[in-house]
């Protein structure tokens, strides 16, 4: 058998959410790139809920888009319902979210990949990682695929998601595989072991899918999309699709009793699964156990697309046995006669603790090898896409001999994400929250392009069209700010008028008609710039102060349980470890700079611990 | 673990082309039906070429449609190029064919299944068949699925396609699985063995898929669709999609030399695969070996859909190793730089020789168990769909205590197909040809509704809409025939004018204006009825004569090699066996009544064996 070798600059393994962004980014930067994946029919498949965005995640998608990634355009082209979450809160909390036509999303991304110059998408099962020793240091030389063929490359990005040595659980039943109906990859796990990586195991779960026609919607509450839906991409002018509604129903005490009575059959509780799952996407059995005071939990009935009757039941992810799943739905209003098309299940898989990575997402152990996505212990399509984008960019830049692109915590949620991962590691599946970002007032969804598009342009990541769109907007903003800060009305600078919370842009335009020509997006930026200037500056000062204060001692008497404003996860850790200094608290895995900022506020007595 | 049982009237295993038609038909007849399939994302997936119809196969699709099946409507809704093949030949040879948007086709069929009342589509892996003994005879009681759950039913239809104990081959590399990127089912093979079924092995193959953008179309020949594309379904009034062109290129001597030099690495020739493949979809290595006189073979470049760049290369199915596949394309005009997205491969799988079936497609061994599709040793989506339809109908009818619906050889290609299978068995993958149907002048694509829709209506298979459409057309035909056979022009009956090959319907209408109101389809039927009456009657007589003649002796000196008008396959068999009587020839497996009809023509000296 003659050896077959294909030579590439960058090889990306796995065409999920991380892999597609990685491969597209590397190819956009001119690297000859191969994207190898088990099955071309599952490119960019949504393993779990058919939705993109959400709190803090929507911001990430805007950032990916601002840097030339595809996730934003894909969801704009294939979304079936768009909502801006937290609309009533300040702009830093605004988070876009959309339901996707799941299959259309997948084919849209696949087509983008197929159309990308420098990029070869191939159906291949990667079975091993190839390395050589250079000066006592391992360096990647490529991968081998099933059939003994070699894809040689000095940069390889691994984005294998939940597929490494994966086992699915439904009650007592176990099936090898990383996603319902699919297989697992064990070769890569062994290769990683051999190369000296630490692997650990996480689990995640998904709910059942029901047939739309079998649901009694009269017993549910309608949840329509926004009247004026906002696109994700800075390039999208108009969303093409019609909006489809979701519906809401609830569990109840009978459901909870049933679950309690069957907890011993849930693999999480029977001891079958020992690894941790995502605290913030808990299974219904977790919710029933952890939130004993809640007598009901909300369930969203989300259609999976225009041309399918499959409905995703958001909020009831489970690995309980089938008979319990059957019985559960019979007790839920509207779902009494629901026909289950696919059962919920949990999956346990290997991940690689991400403290083994440099901030470029290159591994410390093997030069030229990058990890991105769920393999790094994260959860979520958006977190995966963001890492994929950065790993792809850095793999290509390294190939050109350029410095890696590492975003700061003050520049992007993506910066926060990667810094949290590589600095603190993870001890449960990591998802993004606004509370993880100490600079969150600055890291808004509306200004992602202003934060990141120029950086991306410098590295050559953008199409001319994107740069033009951005530059035109930036010019409008600059011109408007110049006008506002130099024009007075009855002695008051127009910029000060804009700062007033009740001022309306239309009225200001009457006072300086040249402003009328600028776009709504540019006007919004100008308004936010002026209105939130003060807050942002204060946040900045606080962040600096915090850096200086990290050696502050924590009194032994300090009661961590009373940090009620802190994320549950972080508080639990502090309670467990009881750190005696801020510096020690910082070193606890999973405690982020944002948590520390909040801890300092309490320590200073600026916020009183709530008495229990 | 408590036992979970779901009770159905009919359980269908496998949602391929056979399984979807089977489940839909059973449910339409009111049987409570479950359709269980490994992965809901592969419902009605086209394993090989993205096309429906073709010679004799197009006729079958029209027949499926005439009986209320979905294949015709599915392809009408999702086709990207429609052609009526053999347009220049007589109407019995007209065969509709269309390229499909492969993924759209799949989702269309899945949606039809999801929307069908009485039908539950579920993602389940069937692992065993359950039976009981009643009066010394086995009878099916249901199936069990992975996870130990039972779907109880007294009728089960098995339509597992190429997935039973399947192994894929690419050169020297073997992978368990029934289709690229998917797994295999071994449980069912064992169950069939245990129940006393004979199993045998066949193989089939598929070519590589290329990226459209990497093909140089300037070196290829354009193949557009028809200017006035004709729908498959008798219900479709207008095809929705725009037509997309295909392109044609050719292999050449260099390619053939390369293949010859590597034949020892093709699993078919190295002895790795011993089972037979479809003679009429030969792999490129087969073609090179068998047709040594041909210095080139035609290749069709068929796009797989509107929203994908995958291109199917029709004509170059292969299991040669990857390096040979790579090298092969480099030598073909237009494909020199083609990027391979998926490699060609062959698959070997278990099938159940179909002489173990009754004409209802129920197995002789196990009461209530039906087989349909590739499991019966056939090949092709259309053959599978047709068997699925009949098995689904018969499973439901049996449940009602009614007689099975068995179509005659003179009623439908479907009748020919099933009669050939259960009477002669198969010794290579069976595909339909017009030459297999001795009544082919009657079994036209244009009159499939007139042959079958009334039968389907009697059994309650049709929607009111379909029956109305049909009845309206039938009334028009009757009225027109009455007018034509009672009206004279210058002494000649109008019906005799219509019989003249050069007569035009518009001119006839001028002579009897009431004819102007009838539809083009009805007018065509009237024309064909009158014009081909004589031929059809003569064919009828011939078929009767043949039945009487089957005891005729064949002289020892008869040279079978000279039956040049006979199908290659049939001729080869006769040459091998050298039967001494027509009756003996009839008993040879794979020799069909149509072959016998032709043999009789030669024996009678009505056609002279060509001298070599
Ligand atoms: C059951 C389940 C439930 C989930 N629930 C949630 C949830 O509630 N909330 C949430 O935010 N996220 C959830 N997720 C996670 C979400 O699916 C992932 O975060 C996201 O898909 C990760 O993207 P990725 O690109 O890292 O990996 P994936 O999307 O998993 O893609 C990995 C790709 O790699 C390919 N691959 C694997 N091995 C090989 C190999 N050896 N050779 C070639 N290709 C290979 C796979 O075929 C796949 O295409 C869930 C996932 C699963 C499976
Ligand atoms: C590689 C390849 C090449 C081919 N080449 C040609 C060709 O050149 N020309 C041609 O005419 N035809 C070709 N075919 C055949 C064509 O695909 C089949 O004729 C057609 O798909 C058969 O339809 P079916 O419904 O019988 O089976 P399939 O379409 O194979 O469907 C079988 C279904 O059963 C499901 N299933 C299997 N086992 C189980 C289980 N245990 N539990 C639940 N579900 C199960 C599978 O997931 C699948 O959905 C080829 C097929 C393959 C795989």
């Amino acid at each position: 058998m003659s050896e077959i070798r294909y030579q590439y600059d960058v090889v990306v393994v796995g065409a999920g959410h991380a892999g597609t962004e990685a491969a597209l980014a590397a190819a956009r930067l001119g690297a000859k790139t191969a994207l190898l994946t088990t099955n071309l029919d599952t490119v960019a498949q949504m393993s779990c809920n058919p939705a993109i965005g959400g709190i803090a995640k929507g911001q990430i998608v805007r950032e990916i888009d601002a840097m030339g990634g595809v996730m934003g355009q894909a969801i704009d082209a294939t979304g079936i319902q768009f909502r801006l979450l937290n609309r009533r809160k300040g702009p830093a909390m605004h988070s876009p979210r959309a339901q996707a036509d799941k299959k259309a999303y997948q084919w849209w991304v696949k087509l983008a990949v197929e159309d990308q110059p420098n990029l070869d998408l191939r159906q291949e099962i990667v079975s091993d990682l190839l390395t050589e020793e250079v000066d006592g240091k391992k360096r990647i030389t490529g991968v081998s695929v099933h059939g003994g063929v070699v894809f040689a490359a000095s940069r390889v990005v691994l984005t294998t998601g939940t597929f490494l040595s994966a086992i699915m659980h439904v009650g007592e039943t176990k099936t090898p595989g990383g996603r319902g109906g699919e297989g697992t990859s064990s070769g890569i796990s062994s290769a990683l072991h051999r190369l000296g990586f630490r692997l650990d195991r996480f689990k995640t779960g998904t709910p059942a899918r029901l047939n739309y026609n079998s649901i009694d919607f009269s017993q549910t509450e309608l949840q329509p999309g926004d009247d004026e839906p906002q696109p994700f991409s800075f390039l999208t002018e108009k969303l093409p699709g019609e909006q489809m509604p979701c519906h809401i129903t609830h569990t109840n005490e009978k459901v909870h009793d049933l679950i309690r009575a069957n907890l011993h059959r849930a693999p999480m509780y029977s001891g079958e699964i020992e690894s941790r799952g995502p605290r913030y996407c808990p299974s219904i059995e977790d919710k029933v156990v952890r939130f004993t005071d809640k007598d009901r939990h909300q369930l969203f009935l989300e259609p999976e697309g225009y041309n399918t009757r499959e409905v995703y039941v958001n909020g009831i992810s489970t690995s309980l046995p089938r008979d319990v799943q059957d019985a559960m739905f019979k007790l839920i209003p509207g779902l009494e006669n629901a026909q289950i098309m696919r059962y919920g299940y949990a999956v346990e898989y290997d991940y690689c603790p991400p403290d083994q990575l440099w901030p470029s997402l290159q591994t410390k152990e093997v030069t030229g090898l990058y990890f991105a996505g769920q393999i790094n212990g994260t959860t979520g399509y958006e977190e995966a896409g963001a890492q994929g984008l950065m790993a792809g960019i850095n793999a290509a830049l390294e190939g050109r001999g350029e410095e890696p692109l590492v975003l700061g915590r003050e520049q992007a949620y993506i910066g926060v994400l990667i810094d949290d991962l590589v600095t603190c590691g993870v001890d449960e599946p990591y998802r993004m929250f606004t509370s993880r970002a100490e600079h969150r007032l600055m890291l808004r969804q509306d200004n992602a392009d202003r934060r990141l598009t120029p950086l991306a342009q410098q590295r050559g990541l953008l199409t001319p069209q994107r740069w033009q769109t951005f530059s035109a907007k930036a010019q409008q903003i600059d011109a408007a700010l110049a006008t506002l800060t130099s024009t007075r009305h009855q002695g008051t600078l127009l910029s000060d008028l804009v700062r007033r919370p009740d001022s309306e842009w239309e009225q200001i335009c009457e006072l300086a008609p040249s402003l009328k020509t600028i776009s709504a997006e540019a006007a919004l930026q100008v308004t936010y710039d002026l209105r939130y200037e003060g807050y942002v500056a204060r946040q900045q000062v606080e962040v600096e102060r915090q850096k200086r204060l990290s050696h502050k001692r924590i009194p032994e008497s300090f009661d961590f349980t009373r940090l009620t404003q802190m994320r549950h996860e972080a508080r639990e850790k502090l309670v467990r470890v009881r750190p005696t200094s801020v510096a020690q608290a910082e070193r606890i895995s999973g405690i982020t700079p944002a948590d520390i900022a909040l801890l300092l506020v309490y320590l200073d007595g600026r916020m009183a611990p709530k008495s229990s």
Side-chain angles (χ1 to χ4, degrees), chain A:
Chain A
M1 187 159 149
S2 58
E3 206 208 34
I4 312 177
R5 284 177 80 84
Y6 302 103
Q7 183 70 49
Y8 285 90
D9 297 331
V10 174
V11 167
V12 179
V13 181
H17 306 278
T20 49
E21 292 288 1
L24 286 164
R28 272 197 301 270
L29 287 176
K32 186 167 176 252
T33 304
L35 175 55
L36 311 181
T37 201
T38 327
N39 187 338
L40 291 192
D41 293 331
T42 63
V43 171
Q45 180 156 318
M46 294 172 162
S47 311
C48 194
N49 61 331
I52 291 288
I55 293 170
K57 291 169 174 263
Q59 282 86 324
I60 292 182
V61 180
R62 296 279 279 172
E63 292 179 354
I64 293 174
D65 183 70
M67 300 184 72
V70 291
M71 192 172 260
Q73 287 176 288
I75 183 64
D76 285 349
T78 62
I80 64 176
Q81 188 199 75
F82 291 79
R83 276 158 30 92
L84 190 65
L85 306 184
N86 285 333
R87 217 179 244 287
R88 306 242 174 80
K89 300 192 182 167
M93 296 303 287
H94 292 181
S95 301
R97 181 180 191 279
Q99 296 295 130
D101 182 318
K102 180 169 149 175
K103 287 293 155 193
Y105 182 91
Q106 218 173 302
W107 311 127
W108 195 99
V109 175
K110 177 164 180 257
L111 186 62
V113 167
E114 290 170 339
D115 276 342
Q116 174 65 47
N118 295 325
L119 178 52
D120 290 352
L121 172 65
R122 293 174 65 138
Q123 180 161 308
E124 302 282 3
I125 300 169
V126 174
S127 48
D128 205 357
L129 305 175
L130 309 175
T131 54
E132 60 184 13
E133 290 258 334
V134 180
D135 302 333
K137 174 103 182 70
K138 281 171 281 213
R139 128 135 253 145
I140 197 89
T141 58
V143 303
S144 63
V145 306
H146 189 77
V149 174
V150 169
F151 284 76
S154 53
R155 272 110 214 145
V156 169
V157 185
L158 266 197
T159 66
T160 44
T162 51
F163 287 81
L164 297 189
S165 302
I167 297 178
M168 296 181 287
H169 298 259
V170 180
E172 300 83 355
T173 307
K174 294 187 217 177
T175 319
R179 186 159 53 198
E182 298 182 35
T184 175
S185 322
S186 53
I188 295 182
S189 283
S190 324
L192 292 173
H193 271 301
R194 192 189 66 227
L195 292 171
F197 287 96
R198 269 177 292 123
L199 294 182
D200 210 333
R201 275 175 98 66
F202 274 162
K203 73 118 203 166
T204 186
T206 195
R209 312 297 194 272
L210 308 179
N211 186 314
Y212 186 95
N213 299 334
S214 66
I215 298 174
D216 176 3
F217 288 103
S218 71
Q219 297 191 58
T220 66
E221 198 181 302
L222 190 79
Q223 193 198 44
D226 286 347
D227 291 336
E228 290 184 36
Q230 178 202 294
F232 275 86
S233 172
F234 291 96
L235 289 184
T236 304
E237 293 185 357
K238 204 181 141 23
L239 292 168
E242 221 178 295
Q243 299 258 75
M244 262 181 107
C246 292
H247 291 81
I248 297 174
T249 182
H250 294 88
T251 62
N252 51 47
E253 275 301 348
K254 281 193 193 150
V255 175
H256 300 181
D257 288 344
L258 176 77
I259 291 170
R260 271 183 226 110
N262 284 283
L263 266 187
H264 60 288
R265 298 175 62 204
M268 278 292 289
Y269 291 90
S270 64
E272 273 294 329
I273 297 186
E274 294 191 347
S275 47
R276 290 228 189 163
R279 181 186 302 267
Y280 295 93
C281 290
S283 61
I284 188 71
E285 49 271 29
D286 276 357
K287 289 190 202 174
V288 168
V289 170
R290 277 165 48 197
F291 309 110
T292 42
D293 50 327
K294 280 204 150 187
D295 57 3
R296 61 182 211 165
H297 294 282
Q298 205 170 31
L299 304 179
F300 294 88
L301 304 174
E302 305 178 344
E304 294 214 332
Y306 293 119
N307 299 312
T308 174
R309 298 290 175 248
E310 285 196 70
V311 172
Y312 177 89
V313 193
N314 198 340
I316 198 161
S317 147
T318 188
S319 58
L320 281 161
R322 292 146 173 268
D323 55 327
V324 184
Q325 297 192 38
D326 286 339
M328 221 156 61
F329 287 117
K330 290 210 170 57
L331 300 170
I332 298 174
L335 307 184
E336 295 90 343
N337 297 309
Q339 189 230 315
I340 297 185
M341 299 183 67
R342 319 195 197 209
Y343 281 94
Y345 63 92
V347 58
E348 266 192 307
Y349 54 93
D350 284 350
Y351 76 97
C352 233
D355 52 356
Q356 301 171 86
L357 300 173
W358 301 114
S360 63
L361 296 179
Q362 183 163 169
T363 63
K364 294 174 182 164
E365 199 63 41
V366 178
T367 309
L369 179 63
Y370 295 75
F371 292 164
Q374 192 120 353
I375 191 177
N376 288 338
T378 62
T379 169
Y381 314 133
E382 305 78 4
E383 289 85 347
Q387 293 169 66
L389 177 76
M390 299 313 296
I393 292 173
N394 287 330
L397 290 177
E398 202 210 22
R400 294 194 203 161
E402 291 177 31
E403 281 298 296
L405 177 58
V406 176
L407 301 177
R409 298 183 66 94
E410 71 297 344
Q411 284 180 305
Y413 273 97
I414 300 179
V416 174
L417 167 70
I418 294 177
D419 184 52
D420 281 352
L421 291 177
V422 306
T423 310
C424 313
V426 294
D427 58 6
E428 64 181 349
Y430 180 102
R431 71 152 281 179
M432 186 46 73
F433 289 100
T434 51
S435 59
R436 297 195 192 267
E438 64 278 23
H439 300 274
R440 60 185 158 276
L441 290 186
M442 232 152 72
L443 306 185
R444 302 191 311 267
Q445 62 90 19
D446 63 79
N447 67 5
D449 55 342
R450 297 172 70 200
R451 294 184 275 119
L452 299 171
T453 299
L455 277 179
Q457 173 68 4
Q458 273 170 26
R459 304 300 181 126
L461 272 162
L462 306 183
T463 58
Q465 185 210 1
R466 195 177 277 276
W467 182 242
Q468 273 158 29
T469 307
F470 174 78
S471 310
K473 179 174 163 190
Q475 274 167 24
Q476 292 187 338
I477 295 171
D478 291 346
L481 282 173
T483 306
L484 291 165
T485 51
S486 62
T487 314
R488 285 176 191 272
H489 173 64
Q490 301 179 335
T492 311
L493 270 175
L494 295 190
S495 51
D496 287 331
L497 289 181
V498 173
R499 282 192 179 97
R500 295 188 188 154
D502 58 348
S503 68
E504 300 244 339
W505 184 255
E506 289 70 29
Q507 294 166 354
I508 309 284
C509 286
E510 295 305 323
L511 306 175
S514 72
L515 295 174
K516 287 187 183 168
T517 58
I518 86 168
S519 71
E521 288 78 39
L524 195 74
Q525 288 306 302
V526 170
T527 311
Y528 286 173
D529 278 3
L530 294 169
R531 277 195 199 154
Y532 298 103
E533 204 170 36
Y535 299 100
V536 170
R538 249 172 291 150
Q539 189 171 67
Q540 212 64 17
V541 170
E542 183 58 35
V543 169
E544 290 306 320
R545 210 177 70 90
Q546 172 191 337
K547 275 192 193 151
R548 291 194 306 273
L549 284 178
S550 75
H551 291 291
K552 200 178 167 83
R553 293 200 57 78
I554 306 175
E556 260 178 50
S557 63
F558 188 82
D559 182 0
F560 291 102
T561 63
R562 298 191 175 176
L563 300 177
T564 50
Q565 302 289 307
M566 189 172 280
R567 300 184 299 132
H568 188 77
E569 171 194 357
R571 189 171 70 224
E572 266 194 1
K573 279 187 182 150
L574 292 173
V575 169
R576 207 168 54 227
V577 178
R578 294 182 150 274
T580 55
S581 73
V582 174
Q584 191 195 350
E586 281 178 341
R587 286 193 305 271
I588 300 173
S589 121
I591 297 293
T592 69
D595 300 325
I596 296 296
L598 194 68
L599 175 63
L600 285 170
V601 172
Y602 277 100
L603 283 176
D604 281 4
R606 280 178 290 155
M607 202 181 260
K610 205 171 103 187
S611 61
S612 53

